[in-house]
Amino acid sequence: MNIRKGNPEDMKSVLGLIQELAIFEKEPEAVVITEEDLVRDGFGEKPLFHVFVAEIENEEKQKEIVGIALYYYRYSTWKGKTIHLEDLIVKEKMRGTGLGSALYAEIMKQGKKDGVRRVEWNVLAWNTPAVNFYKNSGAKILEDWQVVQMDEAGVNSFLEKL
């Protein structure tokens, strides 16, 4: 297994893993981004995200991306610069191999290297293996906080009422 920074040529595989995650999270139709979006947004003059990819040599002796950790920087009024881990995805066939732990460790190393005061992410309450993994790693799950989102239709509806 090799973990490295992703590049534009990896985005087809990254999108495939994002779609696999959406199926796992029971929202396959929710993914609307394209490979072109990922290339533009992650590798332009001001990248909106960064990604680590985990690759292995498959049966055909070709490199195959089997996991990703996609993150971006945020700013906390309490902590300053933070990392938001948007997605940590491991192909189903590779779960339980330590690959997810290795990607997670890479994010923590990046946070340490960057001097951030917090790394944060969301986890679905029903994803018990992930919840347990994060708790066992020393992460705190904030039970009193709720994730709030406004999708595109909601934004449009809100603005029409102004």
Side-chain angles (χ1 to χ4, degrees):
M1 171 181 40
N2 179 43
I3 295 180
R4 61 173 173 77
K5 290 269 188 171
N7 60 54
E9 294 76 30
D10 298 326
M11 293 306 102
K12 181 176 183 175
S13 296
V14 168
L15 180 57
L17 284 164
I18 291 168
Q19 291 165 331
E20 185 174 322
L21 177 66
I23 292 167
F24 174 76
E25 292 184 353
K26 302 172 179 66
E27 291 194 61
E29 69 291 336
V31 178
V32 297
I33 63 165
T34 65
E35 180 181 347
E36 292 76 23
D37 293 332
L38 290 168
V39 170
R40 179 195 65 230
D41 296 341
F43 301 93
E45 191 173 308
K46 293 184 179 180
L48 298 177
F49 70 87
H50 306 276
V51 64
F52 288 108
V53 298
E55 60 187 5
I56 60 167
E57 192 174 277
N58 63 21
E59 295 88 26
E60 293 84 36
K61 303 290 184 199
Q62 296 175 326
K63 290 183 179 182
E64 177 185 359
I65 294 174
V66 292
I68 65 165
L70 191 143
Y71 67 99
Y72 56 90
Y73 296 95
R74 293 173 61 172
Y75 194 83
S76 164
T77 56
W78 291 7
K79 301 294 181 186
K81 185 177 180 180
T82 67
I83 284 180
H84 181 84
L85 174 58
E86 179 64 21
D87 282 319
L88 192 152
I89 308 168
V90 175
K91 276 194 175 197
E92 187 173 7
K93 71 178 184 177
M94 296 300 295
R95 292 183 192 145
T97 65
L99 189 132
S101 296
L103 283 165
Y104 182 75
E106 205 63 37
I107 291 293
M108 298 307 154
K109 289 176 193 172
Q110 186 68 46
K112 180 81 170 165
K113 176 181 162 193
D114 292 340
V116 301
R117 294 191 179 107
R118 180 169 67 205
V119 178
E120 56 196 348
W121 61 95
N122 299 318
V123 62
L124 289 166
W126 57 260
N127 190 348
T128 308
V131 169
N132 290 337
F133 172 79
Y134 296 137
K135 283 182 179 177
N136 289 335
S137 79
K140 290 185 263 179
I141 296 181
L142 307 177
E143 305 289 344
D144 294 337
W145 289 78
Q146 294 186 13
V147 176
V148 180
Q149 296 179 338
M150 178 88 76
D151 64 13
E152 186 177 10
V155 170
N156 291 335
S157 176
F158 173 80
L159 292 175
E160 288 170 5
K161 295 175 186 173
L162 293 180

